[in-house]
Amino acid sequence: QNFQGYMIMTGFAIGCVSAALSITSLVIVGVTKQIFKRIRSRLQSKGKFLTEVVPPVIGGIVIGAINWALPATVGNGKLIFSWIINFGTITHPLLSRNVLMCTGFARMVLLGVSMNSGFVGGIIFPLLTIGLIAGAVMFQMYPYLPVALCESTFMVSIACGFVPLPITFTVMSALLFFLGAYQSIPIFIAVVTSYTIVCGTGFLRTLSLR
């Protein structure tokens, strides 16, 4: 769909929502960090072996249970990119809004558990997946909006809440969804808004100090 003026304010609104989701992700990561920090501190008196082994075992049990309940949470999200777009953004979606929202929140929890229990992995790809899920939810709530606008904007704006790569994320999303220069304007507005709210206001620094 061609660029229209309302997309500017839509990008700004998506940026604000993405900032809230970024902060939620950071809070969950911080909570799980404190939980596993306390577990390790309790196990220090029991010996180094238990201190190193028990947290990954607990993390693996939590991850396995959530993966069993919500199969779309398996992995970093690369395997379900096309699945979300194909089945979550059609006229009669096969993925309900509740399933998508539960999957997105569960992915935030798994991100925090994985990062703090000893597993190896990055933070960018899971946040991109959460963004795609949020875009699918938005399209189901407002089906008159273009799918590409919802998905391309949300996909990168959550991750850009605390990753200072607005131009890189904007170009990447535009290339993935085959968008033109004008159609990329909402994406850039969303990523800048999200980053400004989370980092520009000092909120990220406040969270990190806690």
Side-chain angles (χ1 to χ4, degrees), residues 44-121:
Q44 282 182 351
S45 61
K46 306 295 183 180
K48 185 177 180 180
F49 178 78
L50 290 178
T51 304
E52 297 296 332
V53 172
V54 172
V57 171
I58 296 175
I61 293 173
V62 173
I63 293 171
I66 295 178
N67 287 165
W68 177 82
L70 295 167
T73 59
V74 176
N76 61 6
K78 181 174 65 175
L79 297 176
I80 65 169
F81 263 39
S82 59
W83 180 73
I84 294 172
I85 297 175
N86 291 335
F87 299 109
T89 60
I90 55 180
T91 304
H92 301 287
L94 300 178
L95 299 173
S96 68
R97 192 187 311 169
N98 291 335
V99 170
L100 290 172
M101 293 175 68
C102 290
T103 301
F105 182 77
R107 281 194 162 275
M108 293 182 185
V109 175
L110 291 181
L111 178 62
V113 172
S114 299
M115 290 179 64
N116 296 296
S117 63
F119 290 92
V120 179

Side-chain angles (χ1 to χ4, degrees), residues 13 32 55 59 71 81 87 91 109 127 137 159 163 170 177 190 210:
T32 53
F81 263 39
F87 299 109
T91 304
V109 175
L127 290 176
V137 172
V163 180
T170 300
F177 288 91
R210 293 188 177 183

Side-chain angles (χ1 to χ4, degrees), residues 119-135:
F119 290 92
V120 179
I123 193 173
I124 301 297
F125 231 110
L127 290 176
L128 294 179
T129 308
I130 294 171
L132 274 180
I133 294 172

Side-chain angles (χ1 to χ4, degrees), residues 18-19 22-23 25-26 111 122-128 155-170 172 190-200 204:
S18 297
S22 296
I23 293 171
S25 301
L26 291 172
L111 178 62
I123 193 173
I124 301 297
F125 231 110
L127 290 176
L128 294 179
M155 184 183 75
V156 292
S157 55
I158 294 179
C160 204
F162 47 88
V163 180
L165 297 172
I167 297 177
T168 302
F169 277 133
T170 300
M172 179 187 71
V191 296
V192 171
T193 301
S194 179
Y195 182 77
T196 301
I197 293 175
V198 179
C199 294
L204 177 61

